[in-house]
Amino acid sequence: MTTFTKLDDHETPLISVHPSRRISKINPNIYAGFTEHMGRCIYGGIYDPGNPLSDEKGFRKDVLEALKGLNIPVVRYPGGNFCATYHWLDGIGPKNQRPARPELAWLGTETNQFGTDEFMQWCEALGTEPYLCFNFGTGTLDEALGWVEYCNGTGNTYYANLRRKNGREEPYNVKYWALGNECWGPWQVEQMTKEAYAHKAIQWAKALKLLDPTLILILCGQDGTASWDYYTLNQCLVPAHSALSTSSVPLIDMHSIHLYTSSSSHLLNVTAPLAAERAIEITSALIDLARVVNKVPPEQLRPTICFDEWNVWDPIRAEGSLGAEENYTLSDALAVAVWLNVFVRKSKDVSMACIAQTVNVISPLMTTPEGITKQTTWWPLWLFSRYMRGWTVASHVSCGTYEGETSPKWIRSAKDTPWLDVSATVGDDGFVNVAVVNIHDSRDLESHVEGAQGEVAVFTVTAGDLSVTNLNGKEEVAIQESTWTGSGQYVFPRHSLTLLRWKAE
């Protein structure tokens, strides 16, 4: 949690950090990933059989090695829009018997050479947990129940035995399951009204929890500010043992929201993620409202927010049907840093956030047949996933503000837009970590940092030009390491991310 006081631009900024005032535990799942059968994310990204850089299973070793550096706890699969026509049975068993199908989300052909077992094996190689999304378009409840049984079944039952026949004796124990993806969207196969979705979601949830009460089921929300979110939460967050639920456990554990931001104007680009912060606050209030209206007992676990698609993405410059391969700039990297600050600040409510996507498709990591490129957005993600863990702690920022236009426009009346965007944590190792994004495009900000002590490790992400990228063999943006004494003032460079790290008393 970071509070804010507005100063005139000529006044000296102050960042005050209070590591003893722990606000909320940060769920490591805010650094989750997302892989979809879209563009080159799967084929040519994480899975590239025949390439000398791939292992015997076809997994790109260089991709695995790079992603291990992010310590990714969970990866979502197989979509995204793709899952609305995906039938998991097409992607298991002997590969020469798997059917190729027309793929309607991104208008291609799905060969099904990479499916459930390959994804689970890839997750094990990466050291991450799987998160699967049900087909709420052309799929059936029987098909969904079969998928859970295939992944998690331990008994002498059909789909559990089919998994064993396919070479996997032990269950995969998949915990996280989404009740569809963006079912509200006109781009969806079998788009639904909120009324139709809520009815279907609660019926599926009842059956799924009967099969496996330990599942964590994730409701399909919109962007957290829509009537869809209000209605589906109101209809689906019901007490256990209610008229709609005979289950001894809650049917819904998390509520999913999605948002992408972008702008060709730097200041609009880096303030746009603040829309996500307000959306989280609104969604949290809608969860509480639904629990109040439906008389959910306080001892029933409160659902959290799953922000399972987020990133900087301009679908015009990186069209989805053409693979959505963004060329990220320094400005985009700073926008990603603000996104990550939002998730740290809102750790009380957000228990998972999945950057979309993991490789090639609107991704910080790109592949060629010969190797990988770490885009500008890789470095804030690496810094946060490495250091911004543990507990969110109280911090306060006093500085000037950007007063111009925002995108979306409603941010201007809903959120402050300070020049210094800040989050602060204290880890289990006793180190304080403060992430500071100076969004100003032309001014260094010499600031007091109250609470810093001893030798402070400094990690800086910046460059001379906001438009630079890390493509074409040039790594223009990376991490610069230095130290600071912790006394006096610290100068946060214009258009930069700075992470300050010191040992707490």
Side-chain angles (χ1 to χ4, degrees):
M1 179 180 179
T2 303
T3 52
F4 174 68
T5 298
K6 181 181 176 180
L7 301 180
D8 291 333
D9 273 351
H10 69 270
E11 296 182 86
T12 301
L14 168 67
I15 299 172
S16 182
V17 183
H18 306 278
S20 64
R21 300 176 187 175
R22 297 183 176 188
I23 304 298
S24 52
K25 186 72 173 174
I26 298 168
N27 193 316
N29 290 351
I30 67 170
Y31 301 119
F34 173 34
T35 58
E36 181 173 2
H37 287 252
M38 176 184 181
R40 295 192 306 121
C41 182
I42 302 294
Y43 303 111
I46 69 174
Y47 182 70
D48 197 7
N51 188 300
L53 296 175
S54 299
D55 64 16
E56 68 281 357
K57 294 179 180 177
F59 303 153
R60 282 285 291 260
K61 292 182 289 186
D62 53 347
V63 170
L64 280 170
E65 187 62 28
L67 294 177
K68 284 178 182 178
L70 298 180
N71 194 19
I72 300 170
V74 179
V75 177
R76 181 174 179 244
Y77 174 84
N81 297 343
F82 172 84
C83 69
T85 59
Y86 179 64
H87 299 284
W88 68 270
L89 283 163
D90 288 343
I92 63 170
K95 293 190 177 184
N96 62 1
Q97 296 177 23
R98 298 184 189 182
R101 305 276 192 194
E103 199 286 295
L104 301 184
W106 308 110
L107 303 179
T109 299
E110 175 51 50
T111 66
N112 285 301
Q113 293 301 289
F114 186 98
T116 299
D117 291 295
E118 287 78 21
F119 178 67
M120 298 299 173
Q121 292 164 15
W122 184 79
C123 285
E124 289 177 344
L126 180 58
T128 191
E129 281 197 77
Y131 161 24
L132 298 181
C133 188
F134 290 120
N135 178 350
F136 247 51
T138 60
T140 65
L141 177 54
D142 277 344
E143 186 179 11
L145 291 167
W147 204 8
V148 172
E149 184 190 338
Y150 185 87
C151 291
N152 294 357
T154 59
N156 184 23
T157 59
Y158 178 78
Y159 286 114
N161 286 334
L162 183 58
R163 182 195 70 237
R164 296 182 181 106
K165 179 182 176 183
N166 289 335
R168 173 74 180 203
E169 178 64 32
E170 298 301 317
Y172 292 116
N173 297 320
V174 180
K175 290 193 301 186
Y176 303 102
W177 298 81
L179 297 167
N181 170 79
E182 296 184 0
C183 301
W184 45 271
W187 49 85
Q188 285 296 308
V189 173
E190 207 163 313
Q191 176 191 9
M192 301 179 195
T193 63
K194 57 184 182 292
E195 293 83 6
Y197 174 79
H199 174 77
K200 184 174 182 177
I202 203 164
Q203 297 302 325
W204 279 42
K206 287 165 64 175
L208 290 160
K209 291 264 177 147
L210 284 171
L211 178 64
D212 186 347
T214 69
L215 299 182
I216 296 175
L217 295 183
I218 300 162
L219 194 68
C220 170
Q222 190 166 335
D223 64 3
T225 69
S227 61
W228 175 285
D229 298 284
Y230 167 78
Y231 184 86
T232 56
L233 284 166
N234 186 266
Q235 294 297 305
C236 297
L237 295 193
V238 296
H241 298 298
S242 69
L244 283 173
S245 171
T246 59
S247 174
S248 61
V249 296
L251 295 182
I252 301 300
D253 302 284
M254 301 170 73
H255 183 72
S256 162
I257 58 176
H258 293 176
L259 184 66
Y260 295 96
T261 62
S262 72
S263 177
S264 58
S265 167
H266 167 66
L267 290 170
L268 274 66
N269 196 30
V270 289
T271 54
L274 298 177
E277 188 161 25
R278 190 69 183 117
I280 291 165
E281 294 162 353
I282 292 169
T283 305
S284 179
L286 291 177
I287 289 170
D288 286 339
L289 179 61
R291 285 167 62 86
V292 170
V293 169
N294 293 329
K295 297 181 172 59
V296 177
E299 62 270 17
Q300 184 168 314
L301 193 64
R302 181 180 182 271
T304 53
I305 296 168
C306 180
F307 217 124
D308 55 10
E309 286 190 36
W310 71 270
N311 206 344
V312 175
W313 180 23
D314 181 343
I316 295 176
R317 72 185 183 196
E319 187 177 337
S321 61
L322 298 179
E325 297 197 10
E326 280 274 20
N327 297 335
Y328 286 121
T329 64
L330 172 61
S331 178
D332 296 326
L334 300 182
V336 164
V338 174
W339 265 106
L340 293 165
N341 270 345
V342 165
F343 295 137
V344 171
R345 290 195 292 259
K346 293 299 168 185
S347 60
K348 178 178 178 293
D349 291 304
V350 180
S351 60
M352 187 185 295
C354 305
I355 188 169
Q357 294 183 15
T358 303
V359 186
N360 289 330
V361 177
I362 49 175
S363 174
L365 189 66
M366 304 294 288
T367 67
T368 67
E370 295 78 32
I372 58 173
T373 298
K374 294 172 180 175
Q375 292 218 69
T376 61
T377 56
W378 173 271
W379 298 111
L381 190 63
W382 186 90
L383 274 177
F384 273 78
S385 64
R386 184 176 179 88
Y387 295 118
M388 299 296 284
R389 295 177 182 265
W391 293 81
T392 297
V393 299
S395 58
H396 186 81
V397 177
S398 301
C399 69
T401 62
Y402 165 63
E403 302 286 359
E405 182 183 356
T406 59
S407 178
K409 291 183 182 297
W410 60 258
I411 293 176
R412 176 50 56 227
S413 60
K415 297 291 295 182
D416 293 313
T417 52
W419 291 121
L420 297 177
D421 189 273
V422 177
S423 69
T425 70
V426 63
D428 295 334
D429 58 4
F431 275 85
V432 181
N433 303 280
V434 183
V436 181
V437 184
N438 179 358
I439 69 170
H440 209 297
D441 52 357
S442 61
R443 185 180 168 199
D444 300 342
L445 292 175
E446 188 173 358
S447 310
H448 295 293
V449 182
E450 193 174 76
Q453 59 188 24
E455 184 173 270
V456 178
V458 180
F459 305 86
T460 307
V461 177
T462 190
D465 187 338
L466 280 161
S467 64
V468 299
T469 71
N470 278 0
L471 300 175
N472 303 317
K474 294 182 179 180
E475 191 169 81
E476 300 278 357
V477 176
I479 295 171
Q480 304 161 24
E481 297 188 30
S482 59
T483 58
W484 174 47
T485 63
S487 61
Q489 296 180 347
Y490 187 84
V491 178
F492 295 100
R494 70 199 73 182
H495 50 68
S496 69
L497 161 65
T498 303
L499 192 145
L500 304 176
R501 175 175 167 82
W502 67 87
K503 184 74 172 180
E505 288 184 344

mmCIF file of all heavy atoms in Angstrom, residues 112-130:
data_model
loop_
_atom_site.group_PDB
_atom_site.id
_atom_site.type_symbol
_atom_site.label_atom_id
_atom_site.label_comp_id
_atom_site.label_asym_id
_atom_site.label_seq_id
_atom_site.Cartn_x
_atom_site.Cartn_y
_atom_site.Cartn_z
ATOM 1 N N ASN A 112 -2.548 -30.193 -32.798
ATOM 2 C CA ASN A 112 -2.671 -30.973 -31.566
ATOM 3 C C ASN A 112 -1.442 -31.814 -31.251
ATOM 4 O O ASN A 112 -1.516 -32.776 -30.486
ATOM 5 C CB ASN A 112 -3.921 -31.857 -31.602
ATOM 6 C CG ASN A 112 -5.194 -31.049 -31.388
ATOM 7 O OD1 ASN A 112 -5.365 -30.394 -30.369
ATOM 8 N ND2 ASN A 112 -6.063 -31.053 -32.390
ATOM 9 N N GLN A 113 -0.309 -31.431 -31.787
ATOM 10 C CA GLN A 113 0.929 -32.138 -31.453
ATOM 11 C C GLN A 113 1.420 -31.787 -30.054
ATOM 12 O O GLN A 113 2.259 -32.490 -29.491
ATOM 13 C CB GLN A 113 2.005 -31.829 -32.498
ATOM 14 C CG GLN A 113 1.696 -32.383 -33.881
ATOM 15 C CD GLN A 113 1.518 -33.897 -33.864
ATOM 16 O OE1 GLN A 113 2.477 -34.641 -33.682
ATOM 17 N NE2 GLN A 113 0.282 -34.346 -34.040
ATOM 18 N N PHE A 114 0.925 -30.711 -29.509
ATOM 19 C CA PHE A 114 1.218 -30.303 -28.141
ATOM 20 C C PHE A 114 -0.109 -30.240 -27.407
ATOM 21 O O PHE A 114 -1.010 -29.506 -27.798
ATOM 22 C CB PHE A 114 1.906 -28.941 -28.123
ATOM 23 C CG PHE A 114 2.383 -28.498 -26.758
ATOM 24 C CD1 PHE A 114 3.707 -28.682 -26.382
ATOM 25 C CD2 PHE A 114 1.522 -27.886 -25.852
ATOM 26 C CE1 PHE A 114 4.161 -28.257 -25.130
ATOM 27 C CE2 PHE A 114 1.955 -27.464 -24.607
ATOM 28 C CZ PHE A 114 3.287 -27.653 -24.244
ATOM 29 N N GLY A 115 -0.259 -31.060 -26.353
ATOM 30 C CA GLY A 115 -1.520 -31.115 -25.621
ATOM 31 C C GLY A 115 -1.296 -31.219 -24.127
ATOM 32 O O GLY A 115 -0.266 -30.784 -23.597
ATOM 33 N N THR A 116 -2.253 -31.817 -23.453
ATOM 34 C CA THR A 116 -2.249 -31.837 -21.992
ATOM 35 C C THR A 116 -0.978 -32.451 -21.417
ATOM 36 O O THR A 116 -0.326 -31.864 -20.542
ATOM 37 C CB THR A 116 -3.478 -32.594 -21.470
ATOM 38 O OG1 THR A 116 -4.667 -31.923 -21.916
ATOM 39 C CG2 THR A 116 -3.475 -32.663 -19.949
ATOM 40 N N ASP A 117 -0.611 -33.647 -21.877
ATOM 41 C CA ASP A 117 0.561 -34.308 -21.292
ATOM 42 C C ASP A 117 1.841 -33.539 -21.584
ATOM 43 O O ASP A 117 2.721 -33.440 -20.715
ATOM 44 C CB ASP A 117 0.663 -35.744 -21.816
ATOM 45 C CG ASP A 117 -0.459 -36.623 -21.277
ATOM 46 O OD1 ASP A 117 -0.494 -36.853 -20.057
ATOM 47 O OD2 ASP A 117 -1.311 -37.056 -22.071
ATOM 48 N N GLU A 118 1.953 -32.989 -22.804
ATOM 49 C CA GLU A 118 3.143 -32.203 -23.125
ATOM 50 C C GLU A 118 3.217 -30.953 -22.254
ATOM 51 O O GLU A 118 4.295 -30.587 -21.764
ATOM 52 C CB GLU A 118 3.145 -31.810 -24.602
ATOM 53 C CG GLU A 118 3.438 -32.947 -25.557
ATOM 54 C CD GLU A 118 2.246 -33.860 -25.791
ATOM 55 O OE1 GLU A 118 1.091 -33.428 -25.542
ATOM 56 O OE2 GLU A 118 2.463 -35.015 -26.212
ATOM 57 N N PHE A 119 2.060 -30.304 -22.039
ATOM 58 C CA PHE A 119 2.069 -29.110 -21.195
ATOM 59 C C PHE A 119 2.458 -29.450 -19.762
ATOM 60 O O PHE A 119 3.248 -28.730 -19.129
ATOM 61 C CB PHE A 119 0.704 -28.413 -21.221
ATOM 62 C CG PHE A 119 0.632 -27.206 -20.337
ATOM 63 C CD1 PHE A 119 1.378 -26.076 -20.613
ATOM 64 C CD2 PHE A 119 -0.176 -27.210 -19.201
ATOM 65 C CE1 PHE A 119 1.328 -24.958 -19.783
ATOM 66 C CE2 PHE A 119 -0.233 -26.103 -18.365
ATOM 67 C CZ PHE A 119 0.518 -24.972 -18.659
ATOM 68 N N MET A 120 1.919 -30.547 -19.243
ATOM 69 C CA MET A 120 2.255 -30.949 -17.872
ATOM 70 C C MET A 120 3.747 -31.277 -17.759
ATOM 71 O O MET A 120 4.402 -30.913 -16.762
ATOM 72 C CB MET A 120 1.424 -32.161 -17.457
ATOM 73 C CG MET A 120 -0.068 -31.910 -17.435
ATOM 74 S SD MET A 120 -0.543 -30.607 -16.276
ATOM 75 C CE MET A 120 -2.282 -30.461 -16.698
ATOM 76 N N GLN A 121 4.290 -31.946 -18.748
ATOM 77 C CA GLN A 121 5.725 -32.268 -18.730
ATOM 78 C C GLN A 121 6.565 -31.000 -18.803
ATOM 79 O O GLN A 121 7.604 -30.885 -18.145
ATOM 80 C CB GLN A 121 6.060 -33.206 -19.889
ATOM 81 C CG GLN A 121 5.460 -34.596 -19.760
ATOM 82 C CD GLN A 121 5.477 -35.361 -21.071
ATOM 83 O OE1 GLN A 121 6.170 -34.987 -22.021
ATOM 84 N NE2 GLN A 121 4.712 -36.442 -21.131
ATOM 85 N N TRP A 122 6.115 -30.042 -19.614
ATOM 86 C CA TRP A 122 6.826 -28.772 -19.716
ATOM 87 C C TRP A 122 6.777 -28.026 -18.386
ATOM 88 O O TRP A 122 7.793 -27.454 -17.946
ATOM 89 C CB TRP A 122 6.224 -27.920 -20.828
ATOM 90 C CG TRP A 122 6.950 -26.639 -21.062
ATOM 91 C CD1 TRP A 122 8.111 -26.452 -21.748
ATOM 92 C CD2 TRP A 122 6.562 -25.335 -20.587
ATOM 93 N NE1 TRP A 122 8.468 -25.131 -21.738
ATOM 94 C CE2 TRP A 122 7.537 -24.426 -21.034
ATOM 95 C CE3 TRP A 122 5.484 -24.868 -19.845
ATOM 96 C CZ2 TRP A 122 7.469 -23.057 -20.754
ATOM 97 C CZ3 TRP A 122 5.415 -23.510 -19.554
ATOM 98 C CH2 TRP A 122 6.395 -22.622 -20.003
ATOM 99 N N CYS A 123 5.619 -28.037 -17.710
ATOM 100 C CA CYS A 123 5.510 -27.392 -16.401
ATOM 101 C C CYS A 123 6.472 -28.036 -15.400
ATOM 102 O O CYS A 123 7.111 -27.337 -14.599
ATOM 103 C CB CYS A 123 4.077 -27.483 -15.875
ATOM 104 S SG CYS A 123 2.919 -26.354 -16.684
ATOM 105 N N GLU A 124 6.576 -29.360 -15.440
ATOM 106 C CA GLU A 124 7.485 -30.046 -14.532
ATOM 107 C C GLU A 124 8.935 -29.680 -14.841
ATOM 108 O O GLU A 124 9.749 -29.487 -13.932
ATOM 109 C CB GLU A 124 7.263 -31.549 -14.610
ATOM 110 C CG GLU A 124 5.942 -31.974 -13.973
ATOM 111 C CD GLU A 124 5.668 -33.463 -14.103
ATOM 112 O OE1 GLU A 124 6.330 -34.133 -14.935
ATOM 113 O OE2 GLU A 124 4.785 -33.965 -13.386
ATOM 114 N N ALA A 125 9.259 -29.548 -16.126
ATOM 115 C CA ALA A 125 10.619 -29.162 -16.504
ATOM 116 C C ALA A 125 10.932 -27.738 -16.046
ATOM 117 O O ALA A 125 12.064 -27.423 -15.660
ATOM 118 C CB ALA A 125 10.798 -29.284 -18.018
ATOM 119 N N LEU A 126 9.926 -26.871 -16.069
ATOM 120 C CA LEU A 126 10.116 -25.479 -15.656
ATOM 121 C C LEU A 126 10.072 -25.332 -14.139
ATOM 122 O O LEU A 126 10.639 -24.391 -13.589
ATOM 123 C CB LEU A 126 9.034 -24.599 -16.303
ATOM 124 C CG LEU A 126 9.056 -23.101 -16.002
ATOM 125 C CD1 LEU A 126 10.393 -22.481 -16.414
ATOM 126 C CD2 LEU A 126 7.901 -22.396 -16.709
ATOM 127 N N GLY A 127 9.391 -26.268 -13.467
ATOM 128 C CA GLY A 127 9.216 -26.151 -12.025
ATOM 129 C C GLY A 127 8.068 -25.244 -11.663
ATOM 130 O O GLY A 127 8.164 -24.445 -10.723
ATOM 131 N N THR A 128 6.963 -25.358 -12.409
ATOM 132 C CA THR A 128 5.812 -24.494 -12.192
ATOM 133 C C THR A 128 4.546 -25.332 -12.099
ATOM 134 O O THR A 128 4.540 -26.517 -12.447
ATOM 135 C CB THR A 128 5.696 -23.469 -13.334
ATOM 136 O OG1 THR A 128 4.736 -22.475 -12.990
ATOM 137 C CG2 THR A 128 5.247 -24.130 -14.636
ATOM 138 N N GLU A 129 3.457 -24.714 -11.617
ATOM 139 C CA GLU A 129 2.166 -25.388 -11.528
ATOM 140 C C GLU A 129 1.310 -25.055 -12.743
ATOM 141 O O GLU A 129 1.323 -23.919 -13.233
ATOM 142 C CB GLU A 129 1.415 -24.955 -10.276
ATOM 143 C CG GLU A 129 1.861 -25.614 -8.999
ATOM 144 C CD GLU A 129 0.811 -25.445 -7.908
ATOM 145 O OE1 GLU A 129 -0.211 -26.153 -7.928
ATOM 146 O OE2 GLU A 129 1.023 -24.590 -7.038
ATOM 147 N N PRO A 130 0.503 -26.027 -13.222
ATOM 148 C CA PRO A 130 -0.412 -25.746 -14.330
ATOM 149 C C PRO A 130 -1.713 -25.111 -13.854
ATOM 150 O O PRO A 130 -2.165 -25.339 -12.733
ATOM 151 C CB PRO A 130 -0.677 -27.152 -14.903
ATOM 152 C CG PRO A 130 -0.544 -28.066 -13.724
ATOM 153 C CD PRO A 130 0.520 -27.446 -12.845
#
